[in-house]
Amino acid sequence: MTNPKNTARRRFLQYAGAGMLASTLAPKWLWAESARPVSRPSPGFRPDVDIELTARTASLPIFRGKSTEVWKYEGRVLKGPKDAVQSIEGSYLGPIFQLKKGQKVRIQFKNALPERCVTHWHGMHVPADMDGHPMYAIEPGQTYFYEFEILNRASTYWFHPHTHDLTAPQVYAGMAGLFIVSDEEEHSLGLPAGEYDIPLVLQDRTFDGDNQLRYVTHPMQRMMGFLGDRIMINGRPDFALDVEARPYRLRCLNGSNSRIYKLAWQDGTPQVVIGTDGGLLEKPERRAYVMLAPGERVDLWVDFSGRKVGSEMVLRSLSFSGAGHMMHGGGHGMGMRGGRGGMGGGRHGMMGRGGMGMGGMGAMMGGALPAGSNYPLLKVRIAKEARGGRTLPQRLAGIPRLKVESAANAQTPRPIALAMGHMSPRLNGRSYEMNNILPIEKIPVNTLQLIDIFHQSMGGGHGMMGMMHMPHPIHLHGQQFQVVSRSVSPEHQNVYDTVKDGYVDSGWKDTVLVMPGERVRILKPFDDFPGRFMYHCHNLEHEDLGMMRDFLVVE
Ligand code: C2O
Ligand code: CU
Ligand code: CU
């Protein structure tokens, strides 16, 4: 058996060298060419599951009339259990992987798209060269062999492209899929399974009169993040779910480019949260609503027992402030304020008179579905009497509590400073640079790190971009982390009050929503694998605009 660490390291050194050369001698776009690995399966790796995953163009009957052109992942099992890959019929979404902790997995990723692409396994703890870093993007016609052992605990992870400058449009075109991991701890709980375990991928899209996807590229739209004007669930419009009157498990992923949801049942039924990004919580938590930012997952338990056959429940996104998309008239058009309570409400601030006027701006701001407004997501119909289903276990899983004292840098937290520069959102004052690791971005392998995420004003705070705070869902590759603390500046308290009860921070996370004025401290282990691991905003337009950096994990 090969030692994954050695392989990772060898490959890393090899390509780091090539990349460095490319950045000094060649224009930026050339690095993908120069650093490209010659990828082949490694002879020592014996996969339990071998999957072929192809990225291709497709034409789907999503609406009546003309078919919709999409880009999608298609998968099939070459070796291993046949149910390891499940396609969603008629959806642009990729297949659902059903894998187990401890399995060795090979994924042969074939690029049949007309442009370069790379695939990332969001939330998975894998070697750096298996993580879908943009430097491993492959050209049309090429294949990349991903090989890794599943070290993660049971949860709902996902995969999507991570192509330099192209992540947002590629995901928008349809490229995303779920990567579900199960393990013994989860299995022993007897949670709703099979048809009672339902994945819900929440996305927003805009279609033109010809049923074709429209991706707005107005610079301001990119700066704020793309908003579609209709909700797609599992790749389908007007999604409705027929259920039996019994408990269900709903695994929700926010796969939208920038839209943030505030999930609540319309009739006031509390949300019962059993898991977050990195798996089950210690015990279920009840909330009036749950915030779900792009990249995040939340595992919900819903018990329809005792509900009348024929009755309905509606899952909505409730209104909240500080979504960042509000327009405010006066001066030179777009005075975007970080959202004082009264202005952030979405509907009024944005749809009101004054400022930009409608036209193109209407579409740009989400049209019928402004960010932070109140709208339905899906309808659940109680269709049948129950056939059983266990009660909710009061204890779910063991979660070791990470301690600040155990961090290698307990006294000197590493910063992730969030800022909106002039037309480019930044991290630690920088845009993405392929081969420039800041000293604060070098992390010794096998250490626990305290990381401080906060907003920073750029350029002395003049001009709208300097003033603006936006919500940023911050995602770190590699291992899952824990949230240590959150705080908010007094002037953002009003906005904050509209979202704060919807955070579920007691479990493992890989993406954390940082609202305007908010500061979040996290503890993250960097074990096992040296190499470059990205951290970035999961507002995909922000990511493509350069709100991304690399940590270099060093031995
Ligand atoms: Cu879900 Cu770096 O991405
Ligand atoms: Cu990721
Ligand atoms: Cu952002």
Side-chain angles (χ1 to χ4, degrees):
M1 225 188 50
T2 52
N3 176 346
K5 281 188 203 183
N6 288 343
T7 324
R9 181 143 181 281
R10 216 177 320 118
R11 294 197 200 181
F12 171 72
L13 292 173
Q14 191 180 338
Y15 307 126
M20 227 86 81
L21 198 65
S23 82
T24 47
L25 300 181
K28 197 176 163 202
W29 52 267
L30 259 183
W31 57 253
E33 300 282 341
S34 320
R36 187 195 315 143
V38 182
S39 178
R40 58 175 77 90
S42 61
F45 186 86
R46 304 239 171 285
D48 302 304
V49 189
D50 199 339
I51 294 169
E52 181 187 75
L53 186 69
T54 306
R56 61 167 69 256
T57 58
S59 182
L60 296 176
I62 297 178
F63 300 99
R64 223 178 302 171
K66 202 164 173 202
S67 291
T68 305
E69 304 299 320
V70 300
W71 288 11
K72 70 173 290 184
Y73 284 109
E74 280 171 6
R76 65 188 178 112
V77 178
L78 301 176
K79 178 187 172 220
K82 285 287 160 278
D83 63 357
V85 173
Q86 302 168 351
S87 324
I88 309 177
E89 280 317 306
S91 172
Y92 59 75
L93 280 185
I96 301 176
F97 291 176
Q98 295 279 2
L99 298 165
K100 292 192 177 68
K101 184 176 178 174
Q103 279 177 332
K104 291 204 180 61
V105 182
R106 173 184 292 146
I107 302 164
Q108 313 190 11
F109 171 59
K110 297 191 157 39
N111 182 4
L113 295 170
E115 68 185 18
R116 67 186 199 276
C117 190
V118 63
T119 298
H120 164 60
W121 324 101
H122 180 125
M124 297 300 292
H125 178 42
V126 298
D129 59 346
M130 296 297 149
D131 191 48
H133 192 284
M135 71 173 155
Y136 300 118
I138 56 171
E139 298 299 323
Q142 293 191 313
T143 300
Y144 196 97
F145 291 84
Y146 293 92
E147 293 171 336
F148 51 86
E149 179 179 338
I150 297 186
L151 302 175
N152 286 59
R153 62 198 292 260
S155 193
T156 310
Y157 306 97
W158 63 301
F159 57 93
H160 60 76
H162 224 301
T163 320
H164 188 64
D165 287 344
L166 297 171
T167 297
Q170 290 185 351
V171 172
Y172 187 75
M175 306 258 296
L178 290 172
F179 191 120
I180 295 179
V181 175
S182 60
D183 65 12
E184 276 313 310
E185 184 181 44
E186 177 195 51
H187 188 74
S188 69
L189 292 169
L191 294 171
E195 58 182 306
Y196 308 114
D197 174 356
I198 298 181
L200 296 172
V201 180
L202 281 60
Q203 295 176 309
D204 56 340
R205 294 288 185 269
T206 297
F207 296 89
D208 64 17
D210 245 359
N211 294 343
Q212 302 310 305
L213 283 163
R214 209 175 55 182
Y215 183 64
V216 181
T217 51
H218 186 288
M220 189 53 62
Q221 167 91 55
R222 292 193 79 202
M223 196 61 183
M224 307 305 288
F226 177 87
L227 288 175
D229 61 10
R230 77 184 296 161
I231 299 299
M232 304 292 283
I233 300 219
N234 296 346
R236 294 189 192 108
D238 307 316
F239 189 83
L241 199 61
D242 281 353
V243 299
E244 297 171 24
R246 52 156 285 154
Y248 276 76
R249 177 178 187 178
L250 304 182
R251 303 170 183 257
C252 306
L253 157 70
N254 183 349
S256 312
N257 282 34
S258 86
R259 184 177 292 273
I260 299 168
Y261 303 94
K262 178 175 174 178
L263 302 177
W265 293 105
Q266 181 165 289
D267 67 359
T269 301
Q271 296 285 18
V272 181
V273 182
I274 59 171
T276 50
D277 305 339
L280 294 170
L281 303 176
E282 283 181 312
K283 48 182 177 13
E285 291 188 29
R286 279 172 186 72
R287 300 299 167 89
Y289 61 86
V290 177
M291 297 306 295
L292 196 67
E296 286 186 306
R297 285 85 68 208
V298 68
D299 212 328
L300 302 174
W301 165 282
V302 197
D303 193 353
F304 302 111
S305 306
R307 291 188 181 261
K308 274 225 312 280
V309 170
S311 65
E312 287 183 351
M313 272 175 85
V314 177
L315 184 69
R316 299 187 73 88
S317 186
L318 302 184
S319 57
F320 61 94
S321 306
H325 291 75
M326 71 291 262
M327 308 303 280
H328 190 256
H332 297 283
M334 296 180 274
M336 245 157 290
R337 319 243 170 118
R340 303 290 302 239
M343 295 173 42
R347 219 159 249 184
H348 305 293
M350 178 175 338
M351 305 302 285
R353 261 163 263 134
M356 299 302 298
M358 298 308 287
M361 278 303 171
M364 194 183 104
M365 309 317 277
L369 287 181
S373 61
N374 183 330
Y375 48 89
L377 296 170
L378 81 107
K379 192 185 277 181
V380 180
R381 284 186 297 245
I382 319 298
K384 265 196 255 169
E385 283 304 334
R387 279 206 310 259
R390 294 202 206 165
T391 53
L392 175 60
Q394 283 318 294
R395 192 182 171 285
L396 296 167
I399 295 187
R401 199 50 49 200
L402 301 176
K403 294 204 182 64
V404 173
E405 311 86 86
S406 319
N409 64 336
Q411 305 308 320
T412 50
R414 285 174 198 270
I416 297 183
L418 314 173
M420 303 298 276
H422 182 65
M423 293 321 268
S424 86
R426 310 268 174 92
L427 293 177
N428 289 327
R430 307 291 192 107
S431 288
Y432 189 62
E433 302 163 281
M434 244 306 168
N435 294 298
N436 188 1
I437 306 284
L438 302 172
I440 50 164
E441 292 170 327
K442 257 185 209 151
I443 296 186
V445 70
N446 298 323
T447 57
L448 179 68
Q449 298 285 327
L450 179 61
I451 299 174
D452 192 15
I453 313 171
F454 56 91
H455 295 267
Q456 180 185 51
S457 292
M458 304 262 308
H462 292 297
M464 67 176 187
M465 288 310 166
M467 295 298 288
M468 186 172 60
H469 282 195
M470 276 192 65
H472 300 288
I474 299 301
H475 169 53
L476 291 84
H477 284 220
Q479 269 163 303
Q480 302 279 319
F481 55 78
Q482 289 179 5
V483 174
V484 180
S485 64
R486 293 181 183 261
S487 56
V488 70
S489 66
E491 67 268 31
H492 291 94
Q493 187 67 49
N494 290 350
V495 168
Y496 198 57
D497 286 343
T498 67
V499 302
K500 69 176 192 318
D501 295 335
Y503 292 138
V504 183
D505 288 337
S506 53
W508 291 104
K509 299 281 297 161
D510 57 49
T511 307
V512 65
L513 175 57
V514 185
M515 286 297 284
E518 187 172 26
R519 165 174 234 126
V520 182
R521 287 194 164 199
I522 64 170
L523 277 169
K524 184 183 187 299
F526 290 82
D527 294 334
D528 306 322
F529 305 121
R532 277 196 258 177
F533 291 92
M534 291 170 273
Y535 65 101
H536 60 88
C537 182
H538 221 288
N539 174 320
L540 297 182
E541 283 71 32
H542 286 182
E543 175 183 332
D544 280 354
L545 284 172
M547 197 175 193
M548 178 161 99
R549 299 284 309 171
D550 285 328
F551 282 125
L552 178 60
V553 180
V554 290
E555 278 181 300

